[in-house]
Amino acid sequence: MALEAHLQQAALLKKVVDAMKDLCKDVNFDCSEKGLQVQSMDSSHVALVSLLLRESAFAEFKCDRPTSLGMNVDSLAKILKMCGPNDSLKLRWRADADTVNFQCESGEEDRIADFDLKLMQIESEHMGIPEQHYKVTAKLPSTEFQKICRDLKEFGETMQVKASKEGITFSVQGDVGAGNVMLKPREAEKPEDKVSLTVHEPVTATFALRYLVNFAKAAPLCGAVELGLGPDAPLLVKYDLEKTDNGHMQSYLAPKIDE
């Protein structure tokens, strides 16, 4: 086998794929001894998803040579749907084979679901993501971010994000009126419940809400989400894959520039 990976919790990959599937149609999983990586833009080239699933996230991981496996994200989501919440997942690919094998095993190993997914040839441009030094970095509970995006999407298509030392404000203006939600920095017993802001200078930027709602679907991955903001820079929305050692999922969204 050129690639053999055993994930103790299939649910981890399932959450990642569910978060990606509304943005990306077909993606290349770049496999190396470091783990699995994905970089993919949405069809309108407004959003970029970058995923790193480190080799240490797997119970076993073996990749003989770097390779790219092209898969349809929807099909992948359907396969992972077969996995129960406590199932483990084995992923196998033989060199030059045109399918990749997925095997879900229930905790008691009394039910094994096995599926071969046809691989695709996908043109992929590898974007060098420039190292950004964000003027504002905000950390907040991922469920709260998801709720804000969903709630505000009901009132308009674009959301203005304004961050200063006082807090971070998400505002929307629509036909029915205008509204905003402000989060102030707060301490909490659980690290994922706190809101923290690092502000080098205040930033105000505007983004399309439908992408943010899609990004926020990654909330089940991690209790906290990190936002990176800069003037005229793409917004970074980053989730650790349950814990930092496993890797992360980063989404970037180009700001809306007023014509």
Side-chain angles (χ1 to χ4, degrees):
M1 287 289 167
L3 171 73
E4 227 169 320
H6 180 196
L7 204 52
Q8 209 59 58
Q9 291 286 330
L12 181 62
L13 187 60
K14 185 175 192 266
K15 288 173 194 168
V16 167
V17 171
D18 284 344
M20 280 194 327
K21 69 177 186 203
D22 292 328
L23 289 162
C24 314
K25 206 164 131 266
D26 305 316
V27 301
N28 277 322
F29 280 84
D30 296 321
C31 316
S32 69
E33 68 277 5
K34 289 187 181 142
L36 301 181
Q37 275 183 293
V38 171
Q39 251 197 29
S40 178
M41 291 203 90
D42 75 304
S43 53
S44 60
H45 284 248
V46 178
L48 167 72
V49 176
S50 171
L51 168 75
L52 169 64
L53 188 53
R54 287 201 180 92
E55 162 271 328
S56 53
F58 296 87
E60 291 162 39
F61 189 87
K62 175 171 112 13
C63 178
D64 291 345
R65 56 168 200 216
T67 183
S68 270
L69 303 177
M71 301 182 214
N72 174 275
V73 183
D74 263 344
S75 309
L76 189 52
K78 285 172 187 164
I79 293 173
L80 294 171
K81 219 174 173 171
M82 302 198 301
C83 300
N86 300 314
D87 288 9
S88 67
L89 176 71
K90 285 187 177 132
L91 199 125
R92 293 192 195 92
W93 177 73
R94 206 176 293 265
D96 304 324
D98 57 356
T99 60
V100 59
N101 176 261
F102 291 87
Q103 198 176 30
C104 300
E105 271 185 30
S106 66
E108 289 73 46
E109 296 189 5
D110 50 11
R111 186 180 67 90
I112 298 175
D114 194 83
F115 199 89
D116 286 321
L117 176 67
K118 284 200 171 84
L119 291 171
M120 311 167 65
Q121 286 296 324
I122 301 165
E123 284 298 307
S124 79
E125 59 241 285
H126 220 77
M127 283 70 59
I129 299 171
E131 211 22 73
Q132 288 278 358
H133 296 291
Y134 292 102
K135 296 294 181 201
V136 174
T137 307
K139 273 196 157 163
L140 56 146
S142 53
T143 46
E144 205 153 342
F145 178 62
Q146 186 173 31
K147 182 171 165 32
I148 290 169
C149 294
R150 281 182 178 164
D151 289 350
L152 295 183
K153 188 176 177 284
E154 299 297 316
F155 301 107
E157 287 175 7
T158 52
M159 176 162 83
Q160 188 188 63
V161 183
K162 196 172 179 179
S164 66
K165 290 208 165 42
E166 284 71 60
I168 183 163
T169 305
F170 303 93
S171 343
V172 65
Q173 278 192 325
D175 303 337
V176 291
N180 61 64
V181 178
M182 180 179 183
L183 291 182
K184 293 181 178 171
R186 62 167 189 241
E187 283 303 318
E189 277 177 25
K190 287 190 188 152
E192 62 266 24
D193 288 339
K194 61 184 228 188
V195 175
S196 65
L197 283 162
T198 309
V199 180
H200 299 296
E201 65 177 69
V203 172
T204 302
T206 309
F207 303 97
L209 257 166
R210 67 188 181 94
Y211 290 102
L212 293 176
V213 169
N214 277 336
F215 289 180
K217 283 184 181 158
L221 280 172
C222 189
V225 59
E226 186 180 310
L227 306 179
L229 285 159
D232 306 323
L235 167 76
L236 162 72
V237 182
K238 177 180 176 182
Y239 296 89
D240 284 333
L241 305 182
E242 287 168 7
K243 53 180 200 276
T244 318
D245 305 349
N246 288 342
H248 51 249
M249 180 165 175
Q250 296 183 166
S251 306
Y252 296 87
L253 180 59
K256 289 188 84 117
I257 310 291
D258 295 329
E259 272 82 43

